[in-house]
Amino acid sequence: MAQAKYIGQKVLRKEDPRLLAGKGAYVDDVHLPHTAHMALLRSPHAHARILSIETGAAASA
Amino acid sequence: MKVPVEITVNGTRHRSEVEPRLLLVHYLRDVLDLTGTHVGCETGLCGACTILLDGEAVKSCMMLAVQANVRAVETVEGLSVEGELDAVQRGFWEEHGLQCGFCTPGMLLSAHDLLRRSPQPTEEEIQRAIHGNLCRCTGYQTIVKAIQNAGDKMRAGKPSAASSSPSTRGRR
């Protein structure tokens, strides 16, 4: 019987060369256009009214 | 206020203006777009961000970019020469030293640091050398074998089994 091509043989994974070269594309590596980032700013006051929020610097970032 | 830095990365000198608070790993990933160096924990625990600084393995999330000023950094992107995997990369490939590959760049550079200091490391030495690199696929035994394989290749001087390896260029 002819030797099996894969069964019992060591097989090199096809996806490894790019992962080993740092060319994988993990979610954190993907930059889509117009992506917005957010950060939570918590109030230092337990009970207060928000009168206004300055968003100029964030919007222009 | 930004400050000028001059950092040699994988043999190329880069001049940039950076915030003094910028971490080295974010400099590599966001300023130079070298995303092979990964951010796993940002607290120095996981080792996914390991790079070589003047030849020594360091965690690039534990350093500021300004601390690397006028120094030489090597990242995973600098290991392959003209698209050919180096001995350590080939060792990992042949011994199945990676599954998802996220920890791999850090593992590769820790392995380089070890093999430079100790060309024929024992299993225990290897375990100690990668104790700062977490693998959540938990393939540690194959990683140890991969580093032994890489040491064998380096001592033999030339690539062996995977010399028929396809180029990594253009494969994404």
Side-chain angles (χ1 to χ4, degrees):
Chain A
M1 197 179 121
Q3 200 177 6
K5 196 174 172 193
Y6 294 111
I7 296 165
Q9 306 297 312
K10 210 165 183 173
V11 178
L12 293 175
R13 301 203 311 171
K14 285 177 183 279
E15 64 271 46
D16 283 356
R18 69 184 159 86
L19 299 177
L20 287 161
K23 289 178 182 164
Y26 298 86
V27 174
D28 199 23
D29 304 335
V30 177
H31 295 285
L32 297 174
H34 313 301
T35 302
H37 296 271
M38 65 165 272
L40 290 180
L41 177 66
R42 290 185 177 274
S43 170
H45 307 292
H47 184 77
R49 217 173 283 280
I50 297 168
L51 298 178
S52 68
I53 298 175
E54 285 235 22
T55 57
S60 68
Chain B
M1 187 199 67
K2 291 194 172 186
V3 293
V5 288
E6 183 186 304
I7 304 174
T8 301
V9 181
N10 301 329
T12 307
R13 198 182 303 169
H14 295 274
R15 287 199 177 87
S16 322
E17 302 259 316
V18 300
E19 295 268 357
R21 63 176 177 167
L22 183 71
L23 293 175
L24 180 57
V25 67
H26 290 141
Y27 170 78
L28 296 169
R29 291 179 54 85
D30 301 337
V31 178
L32 301 187
D33 208 24
L34 293 173
T35 56
T37 304
H38 295 149
V39 181
C41 70
E42 230 176 13
T43 53
L45 292 170
C46 80
C49 66
T50 305
I51 52 110
L52 297 183
L53 183 71
D54 293 337
E56 275 189 24
V58 300
K59 292 175 178 176
S60 61
C61 79
M62 291 284 97
M63 273 194 78
L64 299 167
V66 291
Q67 290 175 292
N69 191 28
V70 299
R71 299 176 79 176
V73 170
E74 272 181 81
T75 72
V76 64
E77 287 92 345
L79 296 181
S80 309
V81 179
E82 290 176 6
E84 285 291 320
L85 301 180
D86 78 0
V88 180
Q89 291 168 313
R90 282 198 313 278
F92 273 71
W93 194 15
E94 289 169 22
E95 299 294 339
H96 299 275
L98 65 153
Q99 289 177 53
C100 83
F102 191 82
C103 72
T104 307
M107 289 286 183
L108 294 172
L109 292 159
S110 288
H112 265 280
D113 182 272
L114 170 68
L115 292 171
R116 181 181 50 77
R117 291 181 281 113
S118 177
Q120 196 166 2
T122 63
E123 191 168 335
E124 203 188 324
E125 266 184 281
I126 296 174
Q127 288 169 353
R128 207 176 308 126
I130 60 169
H131 87 288
N133 295 82
L134 299 185
C135 167
R136 279 307 176 232
C137 306
T138 67
Y140 292 108
Q141 201 51 46
T142 54
I143 291 172
V144 170
K145 282 187 183 154
I147 295 173
Q148 283 170 332
N149 178 317
D152 293 344
K153 284 190 192 352
M154 282 174 154
R155 288 195 312 282
K158 273 289 146 197
S160 57
S163 56
S164 58
S165 66
S167 160
T168 58
R169 259 172 303 178
R171 310 178 98 228
R172 284 198 77 103

